[in-house]
Amino acid sequence: LFVQGSRLGHPAMEKRENTFLVASNDSTRVAALRSVGILDTPPAECFDRITSLISRVFGVPIALVSFVDSERQWFKSNLGLGDVRETHRNEAFCSRAILPGAPDVTVVHDATLDERFRDNLLVTGPPYLRFYAGAPIFVKYKNEVFKVGTVCAIDRKPRASFSMQDKQLLLDMSKIVTDEIELYSGWASRISEENQKYITCTAHDLKTPLTVFKLATTVFQ
């Protein structure tokens, strides 16, 4: 199920029926995510450090920093799934973890025994996911806070336990990512403002010589 185009699951161009659950405010949540401007950006070392830590601390082969868009799950950092950058949202464990009422850390000990995930394409086929633990990433948008993705630890083998200490560690890592997102968003906004100022100044500088030229032309007519 690894396919060309860096998508895990079905091919990117295949039209599929959406079977994932959504909250009533999901369109606003998606707007909050997109306002940050992080989707489809290149990998970044600060996020790759987080997935590397998750893999080592919890001893898992797969660790992700994942963002849940309207119909896809996109990976800002991916350790353990090759060059895959996204999956359809139908296969996204993280889509469950961002629902209202979801626990602080969503834990699936054995996906084959969980009715929510046992028919998932990533469970029944490669990479045969079994264990999942995900803690949400938050974004502030229009005076509200939204869950826009997760940091997650994933294993191909079931795990009988994931302790309170483990959950707290994963929550701490999700908070670090949330902080990084705030920094990224602020930096992107400043860059956008500076670019707008540059465009305005450039337009003014270009306009002024034209105004002078027109005035001079009028005088000498």
Side-chain angles (χ1 to χ4, degrees):
L1 292 176
F2 287 89
V3 298
Q4 191 173 8
S6 294
R7 170 172 283 219
L8 186 59
H10 280 256
M13 297 305 294
E14 181 180 342
K15 183 63 179 176
R16 302 179 60 192
E17 178 184 358
N18 292 335
T19 59
F20 51 84
L21 298 177
V22 295
S24 59
N25 67 344
D26 195 64
S27 60
T28 309
R29 186 199 63 79
V30 171
L33 169 60
R34 293 178 179 178
S35 73
V36 177
I38 199 167
L39 292 174
D40 300 311
T41 57
E45 186 177 351
C46 59
F47 297 104
D48 290 342
R49 287 196 199 102
I50 297 296
T51 51
S52 177
L53 278 171
I54 290 171
S55 177
R56 284 181 285 156
V57 168
F58 299 112
V60 293
I62 301 167
L64 305 169
V65 174
S66 168
F67 295 97
V68 182
D69 200 5
S70 58
E71 294 188 350
R72 63 172 178 159
Q73 170 182 235
W74 180 80
F75 306 137
K76 178 61 178 176
S77 181
N78 160 17
L79 187 155
L81 290 178
D83 65 349
V84 172
R85 295 304 303 277
E86 64 182 58
T87 75
H88 195 282
R89 191 168 168 179
N90 285 352
E91 280 76 64
F93 283 53
C94 298
S95 191
R96 291 271 186 170
I98 64 168
L99 289 174
D104 290 341
V105 178
T106 297
V107 179
V108 179
H109 296 285
D110 185 347
T112 64
L113 303 178
D114 191 314
E115 63 181 9
R116 298 172 298 173
F117 303 107
R118 62 190 178 197
D119 295 324
N120 188 301
L121 293 176
L122 307 184
V123 175
T124 59
Y128 299 104
L129 305 183
R130 295 295 180 263
F131 171 80
Y132 169 90
I137 300 164
F138 295 93
V139 161
K140 295 177 183 177
Y141 179 71
K142 294 185 176 180
N143 299 318
E144 292 186 69
V145 178
F146 296 90
K147 299 175 184 178
V148 296
T150 69
V151 297
C152 45
I154 300 172
D155 205 337
R156 296 184 178 91
K157 299 181 294 183
R159 291 197 171 198
S161 65
F162 196 71
S163 70
M164 289 301 298
Q165 183 179 7
D166 291 336
K167 291 177 182 179
Q168 188 57 57
L169 280 169
L170 196 61
L171 278 170
D172 288 343
M173 292 181 188
S174 74
K175 289 173 183 176
I176 292 172
V177 172
T178 294
D179 290 344
E180 289 288 347
I181 295 299
E182 289 183 2
L183 289 171
Y184 178 92
S185 180
W187 174 82
S189 296
R190 287 194 297 273
I191 292 296
S192 178
E193 289 172 5
E194 290 300 320
N195 285 344
Q196 188 58 49
K197 288 178 184 177
Y198 174 78
I199 291 169
T200 302
C201 290
T202 301
H204 179 268
D205 291 345
L206 289 172
K207 184 178 178 181
T208 300
L210 288 173
T211 303
V212 172
F213 176 77
K214 288 179 181 178
L215 179 62
T217 302
T218 302
V219 170
F220 288 105
Q221 280 182 343

